Amino acid sequence: MNKKILVYGPVFADLIYSKLDGKPKVGKEVFAKNFLVTSGGLSITAVGLARLGFPTKLIAEVGNDHFGKHILKKLHSEKIDVSDIEILENAQTNISTAFVYNNDRGFITRMGSRTDLEKLHIKIISKFKKGDVSHFHTLLDFDKNIYNLLQEAKKYKIRTSLVTGWDGAKKYTENRENLVNIFKYTDYFFCNLLEAKILTALDSNKDILYKFRDWGVRPVITLGAEGAVTISDNKIIYSAVPPDVDFVDPTGAGDSFAAAFIAGLEKNYKFEKCLKIGVFCGSKSTEKIGGSTAFPKWEEIEEL
């Protein structure tokens, strides 16, 4: 049986503007040379994994609107299993409008309709029980019952990983006890350095890595232009530096990084190589507009 990587979390219709002729300001108009509508959120990680040749299932929710149909069409084209995506009738899909300016980006997001998450839980746990899932990847702070899902995954000896965003990081600075409980059933935790600092209340990269390991999880921390770092069970620190790229758009670089790192785990690579291909794919994803447009195929990274 070919086991699948199961990605669970919010997806968005990403409307991205780049090469602006000025900084957006209230009351003024700026023009963009590039524009793209694509799928965002955790679908970026799913696309990256599928593009590297790994069977991937995405469980999420979309509205039965224009944007939801666009996302499903995009995911079908990437050969992702979307059979368990919840399509909500007379509902709106999550939308995020992004603008890229001066090597950074800003967002305006409208959250769409939500389903009863219990429906998604039933689908997820049924996949665990069938034994056809090798890795479960999801978003911290998307689902208040994520602890239970991670616990179920570990019951069936499934490798688990979490990724966070700024909202999740802020929430758990005031709730570290719950975070540590979640980490008991989490193998890998993906975040950037700013998120890692606020979660641990520490400044030193070494201290941050050690703190996460003390909490029972292996952190994988992106450092922007400086690459990324992780730590082994016996507290050996590994780092990787990014390749030179023709930078266009950083949207989704962290999700692309996570996809490649997980792919390395699926190949049973050592942590140092997982980190290296993660940094490569995350960096290369910034060379075109859209989080997954420039994500490489396996033949481009297998010799790294």
Side-chain angles (χ1 to χ4, degrees):
M1 178 192 299
N2 279 333
K3 292 190 175 185
K4 293 183 178 180
I5 300 168
L6 197 163
V7 178
Y8 166 58
V11 298
F12 293 79
D14 277 359
L15 286 64
I16 307 173
Y17 298 82
S18 71
K19 293 191 176 180
L20 308 186
D21 62 4
K23 184 177 181 179
K25 296 180 181 179
V26 174
K28 295 185 178 182
E29 185 175 23
V30 297
F31 292 86
K33 291 183 179 178
N34 292 338
F35 174 71
L36 178 71
V37 180
T38 188
S39 60
L42 286 207
S43 72
I44 296 173
T45 302
V47 168
L49 286 161
R51 199 150 317 158
L52 292 177
F54 293 90
T56 305
K57 171 181 280 291
L58 178 63
I59 294 183
E61 57 196 354
V62 297
N64 189 27
D65 56 6
H66 169 77
F67 292 112
K69 292 172 183 176
H70 182 86
I71 288 172
L72 291 174
K73 183 178 179 181
K74 164 70 174 173
L75 298 176
H76 273 298
S77 73
E78 297 285 353
K79 298 181 172 55
I80 294 168
D81 181 349
V82 296
S83 58
D84 286 309
I85 285 185
E86 191 79 10
I87 302 173
L88 308 179
E89 295 295 329
N90 302 315
Q92 296 179 326
T93 301
N94 302 326
I95 298 175
S96 188
T97 300
F99 63 87
V100 182
Y101 181 76
N102 198 24
N103 290 342
D104 205 348
R105 77 277 197 213
F107 297 93
I108 300 173
T109 297
R110 187 212 67 194
M111 297 303 295
S113 306
R114 298 298 304 272
T115 187
D116 176 3
L117 291 182
E118 186 61 31
K119 290 183 179 180
L120 301 184
H121 292 181
I122 291 170
K123 291 178 180 181
I124 291 166
I125 293 172
S126 72
K127 304 305 172 187
F128 293 166
K129 290 180 178 178
K130 286 180 180 179
D132 61 356
V133 175
S134 60
H135 187 111
F136 176 56
H137 178 73
T138 189
L139 174 69
L140 183 68
D141 196 35
F142 166 66
D143 185 332
K144 66 180 181 179
N145 292 318
I146 197 62
Y147 172 89
N148 296 329
L149 288 178
L150 291 166
Q151 189 177 38
E152 282 290 314
K154 297 312 296 180
K155 183 189 299 184
Y156 295 98
K157 300 184 180 353
I158 296 167
R159 189 195 310 116
T160 59
S161 60
L162 277 174
V163 64
T164 192
W166 181 244
D167 287 344
K170 285 195 301 182
K171 174 180 177 178
Y172 282 96
T173 56
E174 301 172 358
N175 202 1
R176 287 194 181 93
E177 183 177 347
N178 278 0
L179 181 64
V180 174
N181 284 334
I182 289 171
F183 282 161
K184 290 178 182 177
Y185 301 99
T186 307
D187 294 309
Y188 297 88
F189 179 59
F190 297 97
C191 63
N192 64 36
L193 183 58
L194 184 59
E195 292 157 352
K197 285 182 175 180
I198 190 172
L199 282 169
T200 61
L202 298 169
D203 287 319
S204 160
N205 289 3
K206 181 178 178 180
D207 290 343
I208 289 169
L209 290 166
Y210 274 52
K211 174 59 74 174
F212 279 120
R213 286 308 291 139
D214 289 343
W215 284 345
V217 72
R218 177 172 291 107
V220 188
I221 303 173
T222 54
L223 308 175
E226 295 180 13
V229 293
T230 190
I231 188 171
S232 68
D233 287 333
N234 55 357
K235 297 191 174 179
I236 297 174
I237 295 174
Y238 297 102
S239 63
V241 296
D244 293 330
V245 295
D246 297 321
F247 180 90
V248 174
D249 175 18
T251 303
D255 294 311
S256 294
F257 169 89
F261 191 98
I262 292 168
L265 294 174
E266 290 288 296
K267 287 281 189 178
N268 293 316
Y269 289 163
K270 295 180 179 179
F271 298 135
E272 193 170 12
K273 187 165 184 177
C274 292
L275 199 67
K276 188 174 183 179
I277 65 174
V279 168
F280 179 83
C281 290
S283 300
K284 295 296 285 185
S285 74
T286 68
E287 291 193 317
K288 292 182 181 178
I289 186 174
S292 58
T293 309
F295 194 97
K297 293 186 177 180
W298 189 258
E299 52 265 29
E300 298 177 61
I301 67 171
E302 60 184 346
E303 294 183 0
L304 287 175

